[in-house]
Amino acid sequence: MIILLKKNADESQVESLKMLLRAQNIEPHVSKGSMQTLIGCVGDVAHIDPSLIEAIDVVESVQRIQEPYKAANRKFHPEDTCVDCGGVEIGAGQFGVIAGPCSVESEEQIIGVARAVKEAGAKMLRGGAFKPRTSPYAFQGLGKEGLRMLSQAKKETGLPIVTELMDFADIELFNDVDVIQIGARNMQNFNLLKEVGSYTKKPILLKRGMSATIQEFLMSAEYIMASGNANVILCERGIRTFETQLRNSLDLGVVPLLRRLSHLPIVIDPSHATGYASMVEPVSVAATAIGADALIVEVHNNPQKALCDGIQSLTPEAFASMMPKVFAIRDLVESWTKK
Ligand code: PEP
Ligand code: MN
């Protein structure tokens, strides 16, 4: 349910309305737009009679939101959301590239890659410490030690860090992490979503599950938001279809679709979407052209020797050669939207 307020609504009356909603176990979220202020209601609104709310002085009208996702819904928050990722803003016109290896492998490796991607224009560093691997015999990540190395790379370069949390039991190790990634395999780990959403207001980069519909994806964002953390970034990394020639199937149509349905920032992961380094540049350029708010790209100092996802990893040189093309397209996109 959303409550549209009258223009110039009296602040104290708005406060009383919020108190009244809280007394009904509804959490009010005020969204002040350039045209109108509205209150989005999170909670079980089924028992609320809209005509009683409409009778309140400051209320212009009341609308029910049909979709099951409320806080993530654009109707709830008409303006684009900008998420502050350790000083780097993503969304609402702010664009950035996140880059780094699939996994942190050594201090030398992560600091070297961090320096190289920063030099090429990346705004954040990615690197897995806890890895969700299909095989229990494959490299599982350096864990706590990997997080320490990421922190060291952050200290050396100033780049905020993005890394995956698989188990809530590890959350206290993530104090220095700027953006917590919830991977595709955990997109519907509802307990993890609730735990992380209630524990921290740090940005959460939520990756689309490999067989998740867009509605399920948005419902997972809703879990985090309903638990108290509105700083969610949606990451499309392709889904599994009947096609096997690419690692996943990426429908870039999700960018304008998610833009219409939600106010949250949208990130495209061209590395996991395609599975091949040679396809990362064209997909990155296309994702930028269609209006993604950010890209997350795997870059490895020596892809042939990578312990994880080497085939899809760019060398620092290939990344540096791709970035001017991405920025050129981004400039064009910005010039269209400014008109
Ligand atoms: C990753 O980012 O390295 C990763 C495992 O991604 P996904 O969860 O999208 O497969
Ligand atoms: Mn990977």
Side-chain angles (χ1 to χ4, degrees):
M1 191 171 82
I2 51 180
I3 304 171
L4 293 166
L5 299 180
K6 285 186 182 148
K7 290 208 173 73
N8 311 317
D10 180 73
E11 274 303 322
S12 64
Q13 285 180 296
V14 176
E15 278 313 307
S16 328
L17 172 56
K18 283 162 68 181
M19 272 165 58
L20 184 140
L21 291 166
R22 286 203 181 100
Q24 307 277 328
N25 276 333
I26 305 295
E27 193 45 42
H29 289 250
V30 176
S31 178
K32 284 199 167 90
S34 47
M35 304 297 282
Q36 191 151 30
T37 299
L38 59 83
I39 299 182
C41 301
V42 174
D44 182 9
V45 292
H47 61 285
I48 297 200
D49 179 353
S51 62
L52 292 179
I53 304 284
E54 263 166 352
I56 298 170
D57 213 22
V58 285
V59 176
E60 173 95 35
S61 63
V62 175
Q63 288 173 9
R64 292 255 184 221
I65 295 185
Q66 302 305 326
E67 297 81 10
Y69 46 93
K70 313 292 177 187
N73 202 310
R74 182 167 292 277
K75 290 177 190 160
F76 191 101
H77 189 288
E79 317 262 319
D80 286 345
T81 285
C82 177
V83 175
D84 182 340
C85 306
V88 171
E89 295 189 324
I90 297 291
Q94 302 300 314
F95 176 81
V97 178
I98 307 163
C102 182
S103 305
V104 179
E105 296 174 9
S106 70
E107 191 164 312
E108 198 188 7
Q109 174 236 18
I110 192 70
I111 293 175
V113 173
R115 287 209 176 104
V117 298
K118 184 183 178 180
E119 174 76 25
K123 295 242 183 79
M124 280 189 259
L125 176 67
R126 66 148 287 150
F130 294 94
K131 293 303 304 176
R133 302 304 300 278
T134 306
S135 165
Y137 308 115
F139 176 59
Q140 303 285 304
L142 296 179
K144 188 176 172 184
E145 208 23 34
L147 291 180
R148 186 193 62 73
M149 293 171 186
L150 273 172
S151 281
Q152 200 53 38
K154 171 177 167 178
K155 217 189 242 169
E156 300 268 337
T157 59
L159 292 177
I161 50 184
V162 184
T163 194
E164 179 165 352
L165 174 75
M166 286 172 55
D167 185 342
F168 188 69
D170 296 322
I171 192 78
E172 278 170 22
L173 302 173
F174 281 60
N175 285 339
D176 195 35
V177 170
D178 299 282
V179 178
I180 299 174
Q181 175 172 321
I182 301 287
R185 290 154 191 82
N186 272 320
M187 189 207 83
Q188 284 190 317
N189 183 340
F190 300 119
N191 284 344
L192 180 63
L193 302 178
K194 284 194 273 190
E195 284 169 325
V196 89
S198 54
Y199 179 85
T200 180
K201 290 203 164 31
K202 268 187 192 175
I204 309 296
L205 183 101
L206 177 68
K207 299 191 95 176
R208 182 177 177 186
M210 50 186 96
S211 65
T213 64
I214 290 297
Q215 182 155 309
E216 286 162 347
F217 188 21
L218 290 171
M219 289 311 287
S220 291
E222 191 75 16
Y223 258 98
I224 300 168
M225 299 176 92
S227 310
N229 185 347
N231 296 313
V232 179
I233 300 171
L234 302 170
C235 179
E236 170 62 82
R237 39 77 80 210
I239 54 171
R240 182 168 291 182
T241 65
F242 52 80
E243 182 53 67
T244 55
Q245 295 210 28
L246 294 173
R247 181 169 178 178
N248 286 297
S249 296
L250 173 70
D251 175 4
L252 282 176
V254 300
V255 178
L257 176 63
L258 286 171
R259 184 78 69 221
R260 183 153 64 79
L261 301 177
S262 178
H263 54 91
L264 297 171
I266 306 157
V267 181
I268 294 291
D269 175 344
S271 309
H272 293 87
T274 62
Y276 295 100
S278 64
M279 298 184 190
V280 168
E281 178 179 300
V283 172
S284 295
V285 166
T288 307
I290 208 165
D293 297 298
L295 306 173
I296 182 164
V297 180
E298 287 189 340
V299 178
H300 194 280
N301 50 312
N302 186 355
Q304 283 173 343
K305 293 258 169 72
L307 297 179
C308 185
D309 287 350
I311 298 170
Q312 67 194 34
S313 297
L314 295 184
T315 59
E317 295 72 28
F319 180 72
S321 133
M322 170 183 94
M323 287 292 269
K325 298 170 199 165
V326 167
F327 288 137
I329 295 294
R330 178 64 197 176
D331 286 348
L332 262 178
V333 170
E334 282 177 13
S335 72
W336 299 330
T337 50
K338 271 181 198 130
K339 272 182 196 143

